[in-house]
Amino acid sequence: MLNFLIFCGCKPSKRHLIKIEGKQIAITDSLTSNPEIEAFVKPYRDNIEKDLDSVLAFSADTYTKNDGDFNTALGNFMADAVYEEANPIFNKRTGIDIDMVLLNHGGIRSILPKGKVTKRTAFQLMPFENSIVIVALKGKQANKLVEYLSRAKRAHPVSKLQLILDQDFNISKAKINNKNIVEGHTYYVATNDYLYNGGDGMSFFKPNDSVYVLNYKIRNALIDHFKRKDTIAPLRDNRFIQEN
């Protein structure tokens, strides 16, 4: 809806406001487009559409965020992509490697369909403007992170973390980079700015030793990863599972 306000006055020299009126004008598909504006916008729109449809890779199958209880092929792909694209940048700036990645299940907004993978695919998977941040957490907070995952019982995408739950959803094993979590050790956890700021109830990121902002969007990391991979064929694995 568009709202218009009408200001009325009887004497221009004094300009006293005597009445305010409002009127709603509904914006619907019945409104006709302006041919001149359409002609001006068309070349820009066509160029954007061409760029979005440029083929970057090939997906071996159709992958969804709902094909597993604790980890999914699509979630694994996205978390691993963030690690592989962000870690060289972080290491170049700091001389430190990322220890693990944690994203959120709800941040995956589309399937990865079988066939051609384009820039449009990346925008559909990650339409948000979320950026990658690296948070330095002590082992005590890393333990809170894995406790959160054990309670959530959801396939939040992770990389470089192995978490095994028993039949009662208690943690039977938790390792970062194949090593047990040590309370006094500092772990560099890649996540997105939404989660860093407490999204999805992930309060364990604050306080922290330090935080590094890469100015690198999750979506751009996916695009860069698609460009480097000829074929996308992610798998479910044992990074986050429940024992039988």
Side-chain angles (χ1 to χ4, degrees), residues 89-158:
I89 299 171
F90 183 61
N91 181 270
K92 185 175 181 179
R93 294 181 187 177
T94 66
I96 303 167
D97 285 322
I98 293 170
D99 288 298
M100 64 160 288
V101 177
L102 171 61
L103 304 177
N104 56 314
H105 181 269
I108 305 173
R109 307 303 287 186
S110 174
I111 64 170
L112 177 59
K114 182 177 181 177
K116 295 177 181 178
V117 176
T118 65
K119 280 191 179 180
R120 190 185 301 276
T121 308
F123 274 84
Q124 291 168 340
L125 281 170
M126 179 53 65
F128 309 114
E129 298 300 305
N130 294 133
S131 294
I132 301 169
V133 297
I134 316 298
V135 190
L137 298 180
K138 289 298 186 188
K140 185 175 182 179
Q141 287 170 282
N143 280 325
K144 289 182 179 179
L145 184 158
V146 297
E147 287 167 5
Y148 171 94
L149 293 174
S150 70
R151 292 193 304 271
K153 305 180 183 69
R154 200 172 194 191
H156 290 298
V158 297

Side-chain angles (χ1 to χ4, degrees), residues 72-91:
T72 68
L74 180 55
N76 294 347
F77 164 76
M78 291 183 67
D80 290 346
V82 166
Y83 177 82
E84 291 181 30
E85 300 306 323
N87 190 57
I89 299 171
F90 183 61
N91 181 270

Side-chain angles (χ1 to χ4, degrees), residues 140-183:
K140 185 175 182 179
Q141 287 170 282
N143 280 325
K144 289 182 179 179
L145 184 158
V146 297
E147 287 167 5
Y148 171 94
L149 293 174
S150 70
R151 292 193 304 271
K153 305 180 183 69
R154 200 172 194 191
H156 290 298
V158 297
S159 184
K160 303 297 181 181
L161 170 72
Q162 185 182 29
L163 179 58
I164 299 177
L165 306 181
D166 65 20
Q167 286 298 299
D168 296 319
F169 300 98
N170 298 311
I171 299 169
S172 62
K173 180 189 291 186
K175 292 188 174 185
I176 296 176
N177 266 333
N178 295 315
K179 295 180 180 179
N180 293 328
I181 298 171
V182 178
E183 286 210 353

